[in-house]
Amino acid sequence: MKISRKWALYASLSLLAFTVACSNQPTANEANQTNESNETKGNAANEKQDETNKPAADGVTAIAVDEAKAAELQAQFGQEAPAKVVSASVAISEILDVLGVMPIGVPTSTVELPAAFKDVQRIGSALKPDVEQVTKLQPDLVLGPESIKDSLEKQFKPASLKTAYIPSDSLEELKLSMVVMSRVFKQEQKANEFLANLEKQESEAAKQAEGKTAPKVMLLFGSAESFMLMNENTFPGSIAKKLGASNVVSDVLKSDETYVMLNMENVVAANPDVILLVSHGDPDTAIKKFEEDVKKNGAWDKLNAFKNGKVSALDYNLFGVASLVKAADAYKEMTTKLYQ
């Protein structure tokens, strides 16, 4: 099946962003090894930054996160919290709302944004924001998703806009980003209350799967025109993983790519117990097209998912955009799809 240019581009941009992020580390290490003076200064700066990164000493306890990654992300913001923030992501806008931070610009989206932001200026789509409109708002900072950093930088940098990028693809990335932003905006208590409640809901969802055989799940994203497989680092994938499911991308196909191009040979080789689709078009049409493609292969009746009647679409409103505030409902739907 031919992959759409949009998703091929998205996957390439994500990989490139990851590569760029990783490439910075050896340079820093080399500098520390060859210049003792700089190392001393660097340590002092790190200690100062670490002190800034610590949760507020007011009895509030942050959830456990990767502190090195959190410090790296927080360093983008500097010492002072930005007063005027533009959000270039629905997921990030939702986090700002939980923290009680009012942005001056949010993306234009078919996905419903927090009610408190109904009068906030729209800045265009998350993938292609209206840079002229953003510039008019004169923000202190534009916040975007780390996965499309390179693409957004090409648009914002010529306008000399200050930017910061945080991860927001999977549930764990969203949690990390909420912790980081809560420290930046001094709203740790709100973040901890939200995350503690979410962890309670996660535990309750996990209990629904206790004692049941964990299924092999194949997660698809796309429309009737094209599909891609999603691994456990996507939002639906991270929810399924928490519920014990085995993702065929990593566990059967042995791929570490977030999105993998679909081919029917992979479907047959993986023989998933459950096949779930997140469609940005008509889900019924997309499912029908997928089934037709599988039947053309001639082995569809041997696949567990078809034999068990476990091929269906997930609610796009819950799984189409990674969302901390919708995670509890996403758990409920995923539990039903996997185990009932």
Side-chain angles (χ1 to χ4, degrees):
M1 180 174 293
K2 200 178 218 179
I3 179 174
S4 71
R5 290 184 177 180
K6 175 181 175 182
W7 290 109
L9 176 61
Y10 182 81
S12 298
L13 290 171
S14 299
L15 178 61
L16 183 58
F18 177 77
T19 302
V20 170
C22 289
S23 67
N24 291 333
Q25 189 60 43
T27 302
N29 288 340
E30 184 179 357
N32 286 336
Q33 291 170 357
T34 56
N35 192 318
E36 185 176 352
S37 177
N38 285 345
E39 181 178 11
T40 302
K41 294 176 182 177
N43 289 339
N46 289 337
E47 288 173 2
K48 184 176 182 180
Q49 185 65 53
D50 288 344
E51 191 65 30
T52 303
N53 291 338
K54 287 180 180 177
D58 58 358
V60 177
T61 302
I63 66 167
V65 296
D66 182 340
E67 290 295 343
K69 178 65 176 177
E72 176 187 328
L73 294 171
Q74 191 173 344
Q76 301 175 92
F77 294 83
Q79 297 299 316
E80 299 294 331
K84 296 190 297 180
V85 178
V86 165
S87 167
S89 154
V90 172
I92 293 172
S93 301
E94 290 180 340
I95 293 176
L96 290 173
D97 183 52
V98 171
L99 299 178
V101 177
M102 179 63 73
I104 59 172
V106 291
T108 306
S109 175
T110 57
V111 178
E112 188 174 0
L113 288 161
F117 298 168
K118 65 181 179 62
D119 296 325
V120 175
Q121 178 68 49
R122 266 49 179 173
I123 62 158
S125 72
L127 287 173
K128 193 168 181 55
D130 184 338
V131 177
E132 183 177 352
Q133 180 59 57
V134 175
T135 304
K136 287 180 181 178
L137 294 173
Q138 298 183 316
D140 297 326
L141 186 75
V142 181
L143 256 174
E146 191 177 59
S147 58
I148 55 173
K149 174 182 177 180
D150 285 6
S151 175
L152 292 179
E153 275 297 271
K154 288 178 182 175
Q155 300 171 68
F156 291 135
K157 192 172 182 179
S160 300
L161 292 165
K162 184 179 179 182
T163 53
Y165 297 92
I166 56 176
S168 59
D169 284 347
S170 71
L171 190 61
E172 295 309 313
E173 287 182 344
L174 288 171
K175 291 178 182 178
L176 171 64
S177 292
M178 175 172 276
V179 169
V180 170
M181 289 169 63
S182 74
R183 294 175 183 175
V184 170
F185 293 102
K186 311 301 181 189
Q187 298 293 339
E188 293 99 325
Q189 185 168 350
K190 288 180 180 176
N192 285 327
E193 289 175 355
F194 180 91
L195 293 171
N197 187 50
L198 177 57
E199 288 202 332
K200 180 181 178 183
Q201 292 168 327
E202 287 180 327
S203 297
E204 291 172 352
K207 287 180 182 177
Q208 301 298 314
E210 286 181 358
K212 298 178 181 177
T213 302
K216 255 188 315 184
V217 63
M218 175 174 281
L219 296 167
L220 302 171
F221 188 91
S223 65
E225 287 73 35
S226 63
F227 300 101
M228 296 196 78
L229 306 182
M230 296 183 285
N231 78 357
E232 57 201 28
N233 294 324
T234 60
F235 183 65
S238 58
I239 296 282
K241 181 181 180 182
K242 279 279 188 178
L243 294 172
S246 169
N247 190 299
V248 299
V249 172
S250 53
D251 296 342
V252 179
L253 303 179
K254 305 299 182 185
S255 171
D256 57 3
E257 294 185 32
T258 305
Y259 294 92
V260 177
M261 186 170 63
L262 172 70
N263 66 62
M264 285 306 139
E265 287 72 25
N266 282 347
V267 176
V268 174
N271 190 16
D273 301 310
V274 181
I275 297 174
L276 299 175
L277 167 70
V278 180
S279 174
H280 52 81
D282 179 0
D284 293 334
T285 301
I287 283 288
K288 184 178 179 181
K289 178 64 166 55
F290 174 73
E291 291 180 348
E292 289 173 354
D293 289 344
V294 175
K295 288 177 182 178
K296 289 178 184 175
N297 182 274
W300 70 276
D301 56 343
K302 296 182 176 62
L303 298 179
N304 289 336
F306 283 91
K307 287 192 291 186
N308 300 329
K310 300 289 283 185
V311 181
S312 61
L314 292 167
D315 185 348
Y316 186 80
N317 291 320
L318 294 179
F319 292 95
V321 174
S323 171
L324 269 183
V325 299
K326 295 177 181 174
D329 289 335
Y331 268 112
K332 292 176 184 176
E333 172 153 335
M334 185 65 80
T335 302
T336 300
K337 296 288 187 181
L338 293 177
Y339 293 104
Q340 294 181 9

